[in-house]
Amino acid sequence: MRSEPLDDSRKKREALTFLILAVLIWPFIAVGVVAGWGFVVWMYYMFTGPPGPV
């Protein structure tokens, strides 16, 4: 198999795709995961009460 060098337009498209993923999409996913976990814990405490001795 022979690999051909990437042309300039493909390099630019890949760089733009990486920047969109790294700067825009992944931070929103990370915040959503943390917020989702916080919501799960909050709902758990709504039904079971806070931790600690009663």
Side-chain angles (χ1 to χ4, degrees):
M1 276 184 156
R2 190 176 75 186
S3 64
E4 298 178 15
L6 299 175
D7 58 342
D8 287 341
S9 65
R10 185 166 175 188
K11 285 182 184 179
K12 288 179 185 178
R13 188 174 64 228
E14 285 185 4
L16 180 63
T17 302
F18 171 77
L19 286 174
I20 288 172
L21 283 171
V23 176
L24 296 176
I25 294 175
W26 286 114
F28 282 111
I29 291 174
V31 170
V33 167
V34 171
W37 180 252
F39 180 76
V40 167
V41 170
W42 177 62
M43 289 303 291
Y44 175 74
Y45 286 162
M46 289 288 289
F47 291 109
T48 63
V54 176

